[in-house]
């Protein structure tokens, strides 16, 4: 008994799980727009059946009405025949005609009751058909509104998912970009590390041959010596040029410093802007080793 109860419990759980999975799958596959269209189609079919029922009831009522007219005409004819028979002294024929009329009247009464019943059913079905038509029209309007709203919401959701990167397509693109960036950063780091290792001599250059660490150290020291030598030369030039500038400034107080060619060109350009062009005065060669203050001053005829 316990084993049977346990098996039944397992079967119930399996059935429950299966139903839950099937319900979830169906819910995912269900489209509200299709469901609404199907419901509207079913209502139209029901409305068609009601209208067909109204038409059938009306047909039956019309058929009963025709029978009533025929029986009424037959009853009237039998009554006329009974009168004629009595006029001719044939009471037996008159009695037979009246008996047939009585039977026809009974049928007519039954048909009248049936006619009234069919007429009532027809009126009820007509009212029901009108109400159902109103409900179907209202459902159709609401259905179209719901479908339009659902379509707009679905489109808005897809747009928002596309912008936020939640959708599967955008997620795949984002992951591909992230992987490309990670690989690029890894390759850059690897290239920098290899350059540093080759510069330090930890790795050998397969093309240039094995790197000598002693020669590398000597090359580095030579480069450092060249830099120090160039720096000392620049310092010496700056130190040697400082007294000459001071001496030139002292001599400038007693007499003007001779103009250099660049200065003369600048002055000539200024004169060309102010007036007619005048050629620059020729420069007298200064003997080497003689200060500018010891040279004789130019005469008026020279340099003009």
């Amino acid at each position: 008994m316990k084993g049977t109860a346990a098996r039944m419990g397992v079967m119930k759980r399996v059935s429950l799980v299966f139903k839950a999975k099937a319900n979830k799958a169906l819910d995912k596959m269900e489209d509200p727009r299709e469901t609404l269209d199907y419901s509207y189609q079913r209502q139209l079919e029901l409305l068609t059946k009601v209208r067909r029922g109204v038409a059938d009831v009306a047909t039956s009522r019309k058929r009963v009405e025709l029978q009533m007219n025929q029986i009424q005409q037959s009853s009237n004819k039998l009554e006329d025949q009974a009168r004629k028979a009595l006029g001719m002294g044939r009471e037996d024929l008159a009695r037979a005609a009246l008996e047939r009329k009585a039977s026809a009247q009974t049928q007519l009464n039954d048909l009248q009751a049936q006619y009234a019943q069919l007429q009532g059913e027809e009126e009820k079905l007509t009212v029901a058909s009108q109400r159902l038509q109103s409900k179907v029209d209202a459902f159709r309007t609401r259905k179209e509104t719901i479908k339009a709203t659902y379509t707009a919401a679905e489109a808005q959701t897809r747009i928002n998912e596309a912008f936020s990167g939640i959708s599967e397509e955008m997620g795949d693109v984002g992951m591909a970009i992230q992987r490309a960036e990670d690989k690029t950063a890894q390759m850059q780091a690897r290239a920098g590390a290899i350059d540093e290792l080759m510069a330090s001599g930890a790795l050998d250059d397969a093309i240039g041959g094995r790197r000598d660490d002693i020669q590398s150290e000597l090359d580095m020291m030579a480069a450092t010596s060249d830099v120090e030598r160039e720096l000392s030369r620049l310092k010496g030039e700056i130190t040697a040029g400082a007294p000459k500038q001071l001496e030139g400034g002292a001599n400038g107080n007693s007499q003007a410093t001779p103009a250099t060619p660049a200065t003369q060109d600048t002055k000539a350009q200024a004169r060309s802007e102010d007036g007619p062009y005048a050629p620059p005065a020729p420069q007298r060669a200064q003997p080497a080793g003689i200060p500018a203050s010891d040279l004789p001053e130019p005469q008026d005829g020279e340099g003009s």
Side-chain angles (χ1 to χ4, degrees):
M1 294 295 293
K2 292 183 179 180
T4 304
R7 286 195 297 270
M8 292 297 294
V10 172
M11 292 299 297
K12 288 183 179 180
R13 290 185 62 186
V14 170
S15 176
L16 180 61
V17 171
F18 179 77
K19 290 180 180 179
K21 295 292 185 181
N23 184 35
K24 185 176 181 181
L26 291 175
D27 184 69
K28 186 177 181 180
M29 294 173 59
E30 182 183 7
D31 190 348
R33 293 167 294 187
E34 297 177 354
T35 304
L36 291 173
D37 290 337
Y38 178 74
S39 300
Y40 178 70
Q41 186 66 29
R42 294 288 298 173
Q43 292 183 9
L44 289 179
E45 293 177 358
L46 179 60
L47 180 61
T48 302
K49 290 181 179 180
V50 172
R51 289 177 176 176
R52 188 180 295 114
V54 173
D56 294 339
V57 172
T59 302
S60 300
R61 179 184 58 79
K62 191 65 177 177
R63 186 181 299 113
V64 171
E65 184 179 358
L66 293 175
Q67 292 179 0
M68 289 172 57
N69 293 333
Q70 291 177 0
I71 294 174
Q72 184 66 40
Q73 292 176 1
S74 177
S75 178
N76 295 333
K77 182 179 180 181
L78 290 172
E79 186 177 357
D80 293 340
Q81 288 177 353
R83 285 195 182 97
K84 289 180 180 180
L86 286 175
M88 295 175 64
R90 295 292 304 274
E91 185 176 352
D92 53 342
L93 291 177
R95 183 179 290 107
L98 291 176
E99 289 177 356
R100 291 181 181 179
K101 178 184 176 183
S103 177
Q105 189 64 37
T106 302
Q107 294 180 3
L108 181 61
N109 293 334
D110 294 339
L111 290 176
Q112 286 178 351
Q114 188 177 359
Y115 179 84
Q117 183 180 359
L118 290 174
Q119 190 174 10
E121 293 293 335
E122 182 182 358
E123 291 177 356
K124 291 180 181 179
L125 290 175
T126 302
V127 173
S129 176
Q130 293 175 354
R131 292 179 178 176
L132 184 58
Q133 180 66 50
S134 300
K135 290 183 179 180
V136 170
D137 293 339
F139 180 79
R140 179 178 180 275
T141 303
R142 187 176 181 184
K143 173 181 74 72
E144 295 298 331
T145 303
I146 294 174
K147 286 176 62 178
T149 305
Y150 181 83
T151 303
E154 185 180 18
Q156 186 67 31
T157 301
R158 290 179 179 177
I159 293 172
N160 292 337
E161 288 179 353
F163 276 113
S164 59
I166 300 177
S167 64
E168 183 178 359
E169 293 82 2
M170 294 301 296
D172 294 340
V173 172
M175 292 178 63
I177 294 175
Q178 184 65 33
R179 289 194 299 269
E181 292 178 352
D182 294 341
K183 289 183 179 180
T184 303
Q186 184 178 1
M187 292 298 293
Q188 290 177 348
R190 183 178 178 84
I194 291 174
D195 291 339
E196 292 179 357
L197 292 174
M198 291 183 66
S200 63
L203 291 179
D204 295 334
D205 189 358
I207 298 176
R210 183 175 179 82
R211 187 179 181 87
D212 191 355
D213 54 348
I214 299 176
Q215 185 63 36
S216 299
E217 188 69 22
L218 293 175
D219 293 340
M220 186 178 298
M221 293 176 61
T224 304
S225 301
D226 293 338
V227 171
E228 293 294 335
R229 189 181 302 107
E230 186 69 18
L231 181 60
S232 300
R233 185 182 63 81
L234 292 176
K235 288 181 178 180
E237 291 180 357
I238 293 173
T239 304
K244 291 182 179 181
Q245 291 180 357
L246 294 175
E247 182 180 357
N251 293 332
N253 293 330
S254 59
Q255 104 180 26
T257 304
T260 61
T263 307
Q264 291 179 356
D265 293 341
T266 305
K267 291 181 179 180
Q269 183 177 0
R271 285 196 300 270
S272 64
E273 293 178 357
D274 297 338
Y277 172 77
Q283 296 291 328
R284 292 200 311 171
Q286 179 180 353
I290 301 176
S293 58
D294 297 337
L295 293 175
E297 296 182 0
Q299 300 298 326
D300 294 338
E302 294 180 352
S304 60

